[in-house]
Amino acid sequence: MLDKLNALEKDFNGQIVNCLKQADVLNLKSQILGKKGSLSEILKSLKDATPEQRKEIGPRSNEIKQNIEKSVQSKLSEIEIKEVNEKLSKNKLDFSLRDSLLELGLRDGGIHPVAKIQREVEDIFVSMGFDVLDGPHIEDDWHNFGALNIPETHPARDMQDTFWFKDMKHLLRTHTSTIQVRGMEAKKPPFKFVGPGKVFRCERTDATHEMCFHQLEGMMVGKDITVGNLIYFMKTLLKEIFKKDMEVRLRPGFFPFVEPGFELDIRWKKPDPKKGESEHSGWLELLPCGMVHPNVLKAGGIDPGEYNGFAFGLGLDRLVMVRYAIEDIRHLHSGDLRFNKQFKSH
Ligand code: PHE
């Protein structure tokens, strides 16, 4: 019997290598392991075997069964991978857009200006000892509102028109302040970090508002942190980005998660698409910020009696608009090649 078993295994090993389709593999498997399969047939004669023979045959037949099952599994996935690769190789690249790209002088791509400025700002903060954290786009009520001192009935919820999911418990984050909460959960003070990313608001779009835009949140928590520290970091940031001292204006701003809260605006020459930089200059809201509210620290598991800190949220798309004199934020996501062309070398 033992010989028969060994022969069966050998026979199986010889046959499986020749299987080209998954169905062949499955057929082979049932010919051997199926109810009427050859292994079951051999084991039927077990009743005539001596007790010594049984001791040998039992474990050996189990071993063969397992080996066969393993080989079947790996052959099945080998065939699947081969089939997928064959399909992929048939799908040739579609070059039909190439001519219009070449007409525009676009031979290759470039980094999107928002992504570029995000990397630059991250680098500036990393050089000042900040960590860079990430967070999910889909958030729960607690991380977007509750932990940020915005309880359910708070009117501040209306300030941020929210895309809710049907369960009314999840939402697309309306700001990167969610990363503040996640950072506090993960870290022990003192700490300082920035958290960049996409944010979403269900609002009408215009030249300075988009439904999906980019912020970079910053938070520093430690002992005896002051508004002076906050202003220092903000000014250093702006100077690094614009390579010159920027004219800024600080005015009181209301955000439930900071107290006191500020709006830091920069002087901006609104570009006129026909004449280049126009004479009209105004203030652009760029950096809302403030000292972290004690309730927010508490929600993040930090004792506000011992620690305090500042937080800010930088609008990355607006920064790009100022840097490249773009008059309408909607160009940034338009995918219009005539617009994209100017960034190909950046
Ligand atoms: N999260 C605020 C917003 O998007 C911005 C902000 C961040 C304000 C941090 C103060 C401190 O409107």
Side-chain angles (χ1 to χ4, degrees), residues 159-160 174-177 180 201 213 215 217-218 255 257-258 262 287-290 311-314:
M159 280 161 53
Q160 303 192 351
T174 58
H175 52 181
T176 43
S177 300
Q180 277 189 41
R201 304 243 178 121
F213 54 103
Q215 290 185 334
E217 194 81 6
F255 302 94
F257 33 95
V258 285
F262 309 105
L287 258 166
C289 51
F312 61 90
L314 174 69

Side-chain angles (χ1 to χ4, degrees), residues 37-275:
S38 40
L39 185 67
S40 321
E41 290 300 317
I42 297 176
L43 291 180
K44 266 185 201 157
S45 47
L46 202 61
K47 58 183 188 316
D48 306 324
T50 64
E52 275 76 43
Q53 280 175 324
R54 282 187 203 186
K55 262 193 208 152
E56 243 181 354
I57 292 167
R60 177 71 182 127
S61 62
N62 268 337
E63 188 186 33
I64 291 182
K65 198 171 159 200
Q66 283 171 7
N67 287 348
I68 290 180
E69 272 165 358
K70 252 196 238 157
S71 318
V72 164
Q73 273 320 315
S74 67
K75 188 71 184 175
L76 285 176
S77 52
E78 181 192 312
I79 293 175
E80 189 175 349
I81 292 171
K82 210 173 125 215
E83 284 177 356
V84 169
N85 280 338
E86 274 167 12
K87 272 190 201 145
L88 283 178
S89 67
K90 277 189 200 136
N91 284 334
K92 297 260 158 51
L93 279 179
D94 175 4
F95 286 109
S96 55
L97 259 179
R98 202 188 63 164
D99 291 345
S100 38
L101 291 176
L102 288 180
E103 256 169 48
L104 284 163
L106 282 168
R107 289 198 145 269
D108 41 26
I111 296 174
H112 193 281
V114 174
K116 186 172 181 280
I117 224 154
Q118 178 182 321
R119 291 180 196 179
E120 256 177 63
V121 176
E122 281 175 19
D123 283 350
I124 294 168
F125 278 105
V126 166
S127 77
M128 296 194 284
F130 283 67
D131 291 332
V132 180
L133 302 188
D134 200 3
H137 291 167
I138 298 176
E139 270 293 6
D140 50 37
D141 195 282
W142 172 251
H143 286 91
N144 199 81
F145 293 122
L148 290 159
N149 200 29
I150 317 177
E152 224 156 88
T153 50
H154 201 289
R157 288 194 177 211
D158 299 338
M159 280 161 53
Q160 303 192 351
D161 300 289
T162 308
F163 285 110
W164 287 95
F165 281 76
K166 275 199 181 133
D167 66 1
M168 287 307 279
K169 291 194 173 92
H170 292 88
L171 47 91
L172 290 179
R173 69 176 177 205
T174 58
H175 52 181
T176 43
S177 300
T178 52
I179 303 177
Q180 277 189 41
V181 184
R182 294 189 174 274
M184 286 188 292
E185 284 168 356
K187 288 178 173 288
K188 284 211 161 61
F191 56 73
K192 44 188 189 298
F193 61 79
V194 290
K198 281 189 168 47
V199 299
F200 308 86
R201 304 243 178 121
C202 179
E203 60 186 7
R204 219 173 267 264
T205 62
D206 61 30
T208 50
H209 294 88
E210 256 289 16
M211 285 197 307
C212 167
F213 54 103
H214 301 78
Q215 290 185 334
L216 181 131
E217 194 81 6
M219 186 181 213
M220 178 173 186
V221 171
K223 294 198 174 186
D224 304 322
I225 294 192
T226 66
V227 175
N229 297 137
L230 166 65
I231 294 174
Y232 166 78
F233 279 109
M234 299 304 95
K235 282 201 142 177
T236 310
L237 166 72
L238 293 171
K239 193 172 175 181
E240 287 283 329
I241 292 177
F242 293 105
K243 309 283 178 240
K244 61 175 185 194
D245 278 318
M246 293 297 284
E247 195 180 342
V248 298
R249 168 175 93 167
L250 201 64
R251 53 191 172 94
F254 172 71
F255 302 94
F257 33 95
V258 285
E259 181 59 41
F262 309 105
E263 290 279 7
L264 195 143
D265 306 334
I266 61 170
R267 168 86 68 191
W268 185 46
K269 283 205 173 137
K270 192 170 187 243
D272 179 328
K274 285 179 211 102
K275 293 183 225 137

Side-chain angles (χ1 to χ4, degrees), residues 112-114 210 212-214 316-321 324 326 328-336 339-340 343:
H112 193 281
V114 174
E210 256 289 16
C212 167
F213 54 103
H214 301 78
L316 291 175
D317 310 71
R318 294 208 172 157
L319 209 52
V320 169
M321 291 170 73
Y324 299 108
I326 296 167
D328 193 323
I329 191 172
R330 290 167 294 193
H331 287 315
L332 289 170
H333 285 173
S334 66
D336 187 327
F339 170 77
N340 292 355
F343 298 107

